[in-house]
Amino acid sequence: NAGVTQTPKFQVLKTGQSMTLQCAQDMNHEYMSWYRQDPGMGLRLIHYSVGAGITDQGEVPNGYNVSRSTTEDFPLRLLSAAPSQTSVYFCASRQGGASGELFFGEGSRLTVL
Amino acid sequence: DAKTTQPTSMDCAEGRAANLPCNHSTISGNEYVYWYRQIHSQGPQYIIHGLKNNETNEMASLIITEDRKSSTLILPHATLRDTAVYYCIVRVQGYSGAGSYQLTFGKGTKLSVIP
């Protein structure tokens, strides 16, 4: 199993551009989520999904959209990038039910100029 | 979810046990204690979790006080590869609501293992 795969690993955008960060998992996990991590801070939850067709907002959802059309994929869209969205983004997944173990991707480092 | 308090940083000599404390004085009876770590620039990695009994796995041991208001993660023989930020998280397990899947990460403890 590849686990949780994120692409791209690095991206530079100009203010106002749009892009999509891809996340795929091959563990048939029900739950998927996106976090952002800024220097000196912990991870903050952006959006999450508990199954295909179901998404909800986390702590810092503004400026980001998500969709979950399949169990495997959970893309994060930036419609109009802003410098405040410069960050490292992590995708994570876990099984449904009682287990709390999250599996994380390796991260996507985004710079908005 | 209950809030946790961890020291900002700690040092540990290589080969010695690393004991990382976490205070969670407002923890509820159905909240579990989870530990993750993040090695520089990588995604966080699950270590261990527990409810009230002490737990041990191949990576670490988790000691939870009898009143459950604090816990300690123990890395028995720290190596340089254990240098990382360690996060202590408490959350409800088994709740069916969508919000139960969230994990709230604080700033964690930066553990430096010294040669």
Side-chain angles (χ1 to χ4, degrees):
Chain A
N1 289 348
V4 179
T5 303
Q6 291 183 232
T7 57
K9 287 185 170 51
F10 300 94
Q11 182 72 49
V12 178
L13 290 177
K14 294 181 180 178
T15 297
Q17 286 186 316
S18 62
M19 77 155 300
T20 300
L21 297 178
Q22 302 290 346
C23 177
Q25 53 90 9
D26 60 359
M27 299 173 281
N28 201 32
H29 284 170
E30 294 180 5
Y31 173 81
M32 297 185 72
S33 57
W34 279 101
Y35 290 85
R36 62 176 287 175
Q37 185 172 38
D38 301 300
M41 301 186 69
L43 283 77
R44 292 184 292 171
L45 183 66
I46 305 171
H47 286 285
Y48 65 97
S49 168
V50 298
I54 306 170
T55 63
D56 206 347
Q57 295 180 352
E59 180 185 358
V60 288
N62 293 339
Y64 307 94
N65 283 347
V66 293
S67 59
R68 184 93 180 271
S69 57
T70 67
T71 299
E72 295 78 18
D73 300 299
F74 191 44
L76 179 72
R77 298 184 184 85
L78 287 71
L79 296 180
S80 179
S84 61
Q85 294 178 303
T86 293
S87 189
V88 180
Y89 292 84
F90 290 99
C91 179
S93 73
R94 56 161 278 203
Q95 292 178 332
S99 173
E101 180 179 354
L102 276 176
F103 294 83
F104 283 84
E106 289 299 308
S108 297
R109 185 175 295 274
L110 175 66
T111 300
V112 183
L113 302 176
Chain B
D1 291 343
K3 182 178 178 180
T4 62
T5 303
Q6 299 178 252
T8 302
S9 63
M10 294 181 62
D11 292 339
C12 177
E14 187 178 17
R16 303 296 295 271
N19 296 279
L20 292 92
C22 179
N23 182 288
H24 32 78
S25 58
T26 59
I27 193 169
S28 301
N30 60 349
E31 287 185 309
Y32 283 67
V33 180
Y34 285 81
W35 283 85
Y36 284 76
R37 73 179 182 183
Q38 186 175 24
I39 297 171
H40 180 62
S41 298
Q42 298 182 17
Q45 175 190 25
Y46 167 83
I47 301 173
I48 198 168
H49 74 281
L51 181 62
K52 53 184 177 181
N53 296 323
N54 298 337
E55 302 288 344
T56 296
N57 63 20
E58 66 277 5
M59 290 181 66
S61 294
L62 174 61
I63 308 297
I64 302 174
T65 58
E66 190 169 348
D67 64 7
R68 303 188 68 242
K69 293 185 177 181
S70 65
S71 61
T72 301
L73 178 74
I74 301 173
L75 308 178
H77 304 286
T79 71
L80 298 179
R81 294 172 60 181
D82 292 322
T83 292
V85 176
Y86 288 77
Y87 297 98
C88 170
I89 302 160
V90 294
R91 66 169 289 273
V92 174
Q93 179 160 307
Y95 168 58
S96 61
S100 70
Y101 290 87
Q102 297 184 52
L103 280 180
T104 301
F105 287 77
K107 297 184 179 180
T109 296
K110 180 173 175 53
L111 175 68
S112 298
V113 180
I114 312 300

